[in-house]
Amino acid sequence: MAETRRGGPVPRRMGAAETGLPVASDAATLRAAGRQPPLPFCVALADGRPLTMHRLLRVLPGKRLVGEAELDGRRVLAKLFVGRRCEKHWRHERGGLDALRQADVSTPELVVATAMAAGGYALLTVFLEPAQSLAEAWAEVSERAAGDAEALAVLAPALGMLGRLHAAGLVQDDLHLGNFLRHQGRMLVVDGDAVRVISRGQRLPPADAGANLAVLLAQLPPVWDGQLAALLPAYTAEQPLLPEQAVMRRNIERVRAWRLGDFLAKTVRECTLFAVEHTSARFSAVRREEAETLAPVLASLASLDSAVASGRVFKDGGTTTVARIVVNARPLLIKRYNLKNLRHAFGRLWRPSRAWHSWREAHRLLFFGIPTPRPLALVEERCGPLRRRAWLICEYCPGPNLLNHLAADCEPSPAEANAIRDLFGALRRHRISHGDLKATNLLWDGERVLLIDLDGVVQHRSVAAYERAWRRDRARLLRNWPSACALRRWLDEQLPAACG
């Protein structure tokens, strides 16, 4: 396999063709089919040979489909370009693969690049199996300590490959971990469409090389920013020209800030990761891989209310109702944000709901690697542009909160102490305040401390604003325990100081 997709495989939509021969298709049909054309389907290449698509790995609706296919009895990775201006992208993809090969950068072997008989273009490469993307390999070691030898060993081949790319005067404009593939001990670069020639055959200038390398390094957890001395040797063995490390760190911070903004915008619009529906009566966003499972719950506002009513209710207040529900034998948490009276309803009409804010901030925390239950779906009741009630569904954490879990008369265990320090260290690095830091909003899952109830979470632009908010958060957390107890004394010593 030589194409990966962030967020997992595209779900297949079964059609009548599943029990018979592939359905004949063409570029216009595939362009109109959206994200899930019936499988299997067959398209004719310009020379008349049939190409049968069996499994989709990635779909850009109306533009491109990527998947496992068969040509002349051979498995191939097929990219079908079906958009109205697809020839440009097809030529760019082919040119990028040619540039990689000329630079001696490993990339999957090209089988054929041709037009399709009824419009559109196809680019076929060998199907590599077994293969693992760097994103998948990194996920297995990403929680190890920054600088861990095994984690470095996972990253080093990709860094060396990128160095070779830059030494040949090329950059990868869509540089993410999924565009590196490990196969039979080799690292390969995929996605030729994103390869751009800057200075063919000549090393990139340090500024260009550093800027492109920063795009890759910004996808590592921020705690790795201090490990450039360990990360860079694999790269500089191929391409020694780089800016100073201080400049590299600034580049990484800039790229990470851009990636965060881009990601948060995607959480509320239709894209590969999220399925979004927006009507005059409601707005909904759901993680695409969860859409089928949650469909019965999300079917209507009534079904959401029914799920809340039938669940185990933990809280039923004027402004929020929280319940544990079970969907396909999987426990989930659903939180409904109520309107307690007419005045409250008028006050919420124009503002994003607290569910919207919690959805966004949960994704922000997870982007930075800060533990919180994974948000799965957001629904807002709408009346045109006006907002009313809202619902948030997230994973359920069965662990106890810290008020119940920690004993006031002794210090936390080493594992608990490290988890507490890690959480508040990360929040401080990113200048994130909680706004209601009660011990009941901190859950222990056996390994980590998870932050919940994110209605008031803010990432501050200025240090001064963050320090003011942190003083309030810190004081609120300490008030959970008597002033003379051992736990409070330990927290007071270990938590970041309240400055100013």
Side-chain angles (χ1 to χ4, degrees):
M1 180 173 61
E3 176 82 6
T4 57
R5 172 187 178 273
R6 288 162 287 181
V10 175
R12 296 176 56 175
R13 183 174 68 188
M14 302 298 182
E18 283 295 328
T19 57
L21 296 175
V23 172
S25 193
D26 55 26
T29 302
L30 295 173
R31 188 165 56 242
R35 290 188 177 275
Q36 295 179 307
L39 289 171
F41 65 80
C42 180
V43 295
L45 302 183
D47 60 8
R49 288 185 293 171
L51 173 73
T52 303
M53 184 73 80
H54 293 289
R55 179 165 63 104
L56 290 173
L57 300 172
R58 189 182 186 195
V59 176
L60 296 180
K63 297 180 180 179
R64 187 173 75 188
L65 300 89
V66 184
E68 178 187 351
E70 181 180 342
L71 178 70
D72 298 335
R74 180 184 183 183
R75 291 172 76 198
V76 294
L77 191 286
K79 294 189 177 183
L80 305 183
F81 299 79
V82 300
R84 301 188 189 280
R85 300 178 181 177
C86 57
E87 183 178 1
K88 173 184 175 182
H89 296 285
W90 172 76
R91 290 189 181 280
H92 200 172
E93 177 89 28
R94 183 174 181 176
L97 295 179
D98 288 342
L100 291 173
R101 282 189 287 272
Q102 292 170 15
D104 197 28
V105 174
S106 297
T107 192
E109 176 190 350
L110 180 66
V111 175
V112 65
T114 182
M116 295 192 294
Y121 292 83
L123 189 145
L124 314 180
T125 57
V126 295
F127 192 91
L128 303 179
E129 194 173 50
Q132 184 184 44
S133 74
L134 181 59
E136 294 166 336
W138 174 249
E140 297 173 0
V141 297
S142 61
E143 294 189 5
R144 292 174 178 264
D148 175 80
E150 187 173 343
L152 284 169
V154 169
L155 296 170
L159 291 167
M161 186 69 74
L162 185 60
R164 186 179 305 172
L165 197 80
H166 291 171
L170 310 178
V171 297
Q172 233 278 8
D173 283 335
D174 186 23
L175 195 57
H176 59 81
L177 301 181
N179 275 341
F180 293 89
L181 203 65
R182 302 202 306 185
H183 174 66
Q184 296 182 346
R186 286 196 309 156
M187 182 69 71
L188 298 92
V189 176
V190 299
D191 195 4
D193 186 45
V195 173
R196 183 162 51 94
V197 179
I198 301 296
S199 53
R200 189 183 298 273
Q202 299 180 2
R203 296 185 186 277
L204 290 183
D208 291 338
N212 198 225
L213 175 59
V215 175
L216 182 64
L217 296 180
Q219 296 170 55
L220 305 182
V223 292
W224 279 81
D225 292 357
Q227 298 295 324
L228 292 183
L231 288 164
L232 293 181
Y235 174 89
T236 54
E238 300 284 349
Q239 157 71 339
L241 304 180
L242 272 180
E244 296 178 354
Q245 288 194 17
V247 176
M248 283 298 303
R249 289 191 184 94
R250 288 196 294 271
N251 286 343
I252 292 169
E253 290 175 0
R254 185 184 69 251
V255 172
R256 187 174 287 124
W258 177 86
R259 290 187 68 244
L260 173 62
D262 181 64
F263 175 63
L264 293 181
K266 287 179 178 178
T267 66
V268 289
R269 67 174 172 83
E270 181 76 9
C271 63
T272 301
L273 292 176
F274 299 95
V276 172
E277 294 182 5
H278 191 183
T279 70
S280 61
R282 66 179 254 170
F283 172 93
S284 67
V286 57
R287 295 191 70 89
R288 191 169 292 281
E289 72 270 20
E290 303 285 353
E292 184 175 352
T293 300
L294 294 178
V297 178
L298 303 177
S300 66
L301 300 182
S303 63
L304 286 159
D305 283 336
S306 177
V308 173
S310 62
R312 178 186 173 189
V313 176
F314 296 132
K315 178 183 178 181
D316 191 10
T319 58
T320 55
T321 302
V322 183
R324 176 184 178 272
I325 62 174
V326 178
V327 179
N328 285 358
R330 177 186 176 193
L332 301 174
L333 195 78
I334 183 168
K335 189 172 185 178
R336 183 179 64 206
Y337 294 81
N338 306 316
L339 301 173
K340 61 181 181 180
N341 53 44
L342 189 60
R343 181 178 179 181
H344 184 221
F346 274 117
R348 302 299 317 182
L349 283 177
W350 296 101
R351 292 183 290 167
S353 67
R354 289 182 296 154
W356 180 291
H357 186 81
S358 296
W359 168 262
R360 179 182 175 90
E361 296 312 310
H363 283 105
R364 184 192 305 275
L365 294 181
L366 293 174
F367 179 90
F368 287 129
I370 297 172
T372 191
R374 194 166 69 111
L376 306 180
L378 158 72
V379 177
E380 285 188 335
E381 183 180 15
R382 298 281 183 91
C383 182
L386 306 179
R387 292 169 164 91
R388 302 192 72 243
R389 296 180 302 163
W391 295 258
L392 180 69
I393 301 175
C394 62
E395 291 181 335
Y396 175 72
C397 175
N401 63 63
L402 293 195
L403 186 62
N404 294 331
H405 180 67
L406 298 179
D409 58 355
C410 63
E411 296 181 359
S413 70
E416 294 160 348
N418 288 335
I420 291 170
R421 284 190 288 259
D422 288 347
L423 172 64
F424 289 105
L427 291 172
R428 186 168 189 82
R429 274 195 305 276
H430 300 294
R431 296 201 295 265
I432 295 173
S433 65
H434 183 270
D436 187 21
L437 200 58
K438 298 179 291 190
T440 52
N441 285 332
L442 298 166
L443 304 183
W444 174 247
D445 75 349
E447 296 180 350
R448 305 171 302 166
V449 176
L450 279 68
L451 198 63
I452 64 169
D453 199 4
L454 309 181
D455 303 12
V457 167
V458 175
Q459 183 175 27
H460 300 271
R461 294 187 178 183
S462 76
V463 174
Y466 167 73
E467 293 295 351
R468 288 193 297 270
W470 169 237
R471 283 198 302 274
R472 293 190 293 270
D473 274 355
R474 193 180 195 277
R476 180 64 188 89
L477 181 60
L478 292 177
R479 285 202 304 272
N480 284 277
W481 296 279
S483 58
C485 73
L487 177 58
R488 178 160 172 169
R489 286 197 304 270
W490 182 88
L491 286 168
D492 200 17
E493 292 171 359
Q494 298 295 321
L495 292 176
C499 302

